[in-house]
Amino acid sequence: MNTPSLTQLGWRPYFQQQLTLEELTDFRIGRVVEQHRSGSVVLSEQGTFNLTQSPSSERMCVGDWVLFDDTLKLYRTLERQSLFQRKAPGSKVDTQLIASNVDNLLVVCSLNQDFNLNRIERYLALAKEAEVEPIIVLTKADQCDDADSKRQQVQSLDPLLVVHAINALDPDHLQELSGYCREGKTLAFLGSSGVGKSTLMNGLMGFDAQETGAIREDDSKGRHTTTYRALKWLPQGGLLMDTPGMRELQLSDCEQGVSETFSEITQLAQQCRFGDCSHSNEPGCAVMQAIDSGALETRRFVSYQKLMREQAFNSATLAQKRAKDKAFGKMIHNVQSESRSRKKGF
């Protein structure tokens, strides 16, 4: 498809309503389909273009809708309907934009040694915070003797959660995911390296759109085969976003997402005798009572506490950085204003 319509790209009234008549006349509309360190690739009704961004341009990510002029200079990014972001990996104090304007998040986890309920809960919290429906895809079911048992473990996290256990190389299994591939809809894959995201993409695309790699046999860890985020066309309609595997997914500004992911704990906490109950040794703690009775699993409560502490710490750290940056910017502005005033005095 060389010249897709905006509707096929996922355009909808939510974005249309953000434009003025002047913007409709003076600028082109496009969607970011690739994000590289050197810049962004945008797809529009007129074709594919490499956008020019200035150092002061607002940050963009794959999935964004943008306005740009005839010289391929970015004018502005439209407000996002959904956004996935995380704390930047390592010690860097910043947020990293992952993907925007996604309709369904396919959380991919393999059924080998890398299977991890805590990690799945992280991705669920991210999806809930972005208000995007999560779908769990458990891969390598053909290599697992207890695939159904593990699928039930994931299902127990939320009775309403959609969970698929598949062999990504089996066309019949891939049919289970075809219902999500509809024109104008955007799907995104998130998961660790080596879980089979690229294999899934190749199966849904009908050809080898992404390189696939082997995993280490000793720990089932994978190597990065996807090196940048990109939106791909699906033969069934819609767009599919593959992302590099994440070895680290630190949450920030995600309190609502964590609360919704662990909704049963949130509801129990409201029944505690004290409003500021820490759920450790206070009398009348409904959470501790649920754990003692077996109604609440200890693993799940520990995971909830860890994610809540993590997102609170990262949020506070990022808030401090923003405050420092704002204060520094204000100081620079004052110095420049004072310098201009002195020049006028001479």
Side-chain angles (χ1 to χ4, degrees), residues 250-268:
Q250 288 271 321
L251 302 182
S252 66
D253 295 320
C254 199
E255 181 177 356
Q256 184 64 30
V258 175
S259 295
E260 291 184 18
T261 300
F262 298 87
S263 58
E264 80 278 24
I265 298 178
T266 305
Q267 292 170 5
L268 283 169

Side-chain angles (χ1 to χ4, degrees), residues 234-290:
L234 288 169
Q236 309 93 320
L239 302 104
L240 179 58
M241 185 185 303
D242 193 15
T243 62
M246 295 184 183
R247 299 195 189 280
E248 180 181 345
L249 179 61
Q250 288 271 321
L251 302 182
S252 66
D253 295 320
C254 199
E255 181 177 356
Q256 184 64 30
V258 175
S259 295
E260 291 184 18
T261 300
F262 298 87
S263 58
E264 80 278 24
I265 298 178
T266 305
Q267 292 170 5
L268 283 169
Q270 295 173 354
Q271 301 171 26
C272 292
R273 181 184 302 178
F274 303 107
D276 59 348
C277 184
S278 64
H279 317 305
S280 53
N281 55 9
E282 293 92 338
C285 175
V287 175
M288 287 293 102
Q289 290 173 5

Side-chain angles (χ1 to χ4, degrees), residues 131-146:
E131 298 183 352
V132 171
E133 181 186 0
I135 297 155
I136 308 299
V137 181
L138 304 175
T139 60
K140 307 183 182 180
D142 56 312
Q143 303 173 27
C144 179
D145 295 330
D146 59 344

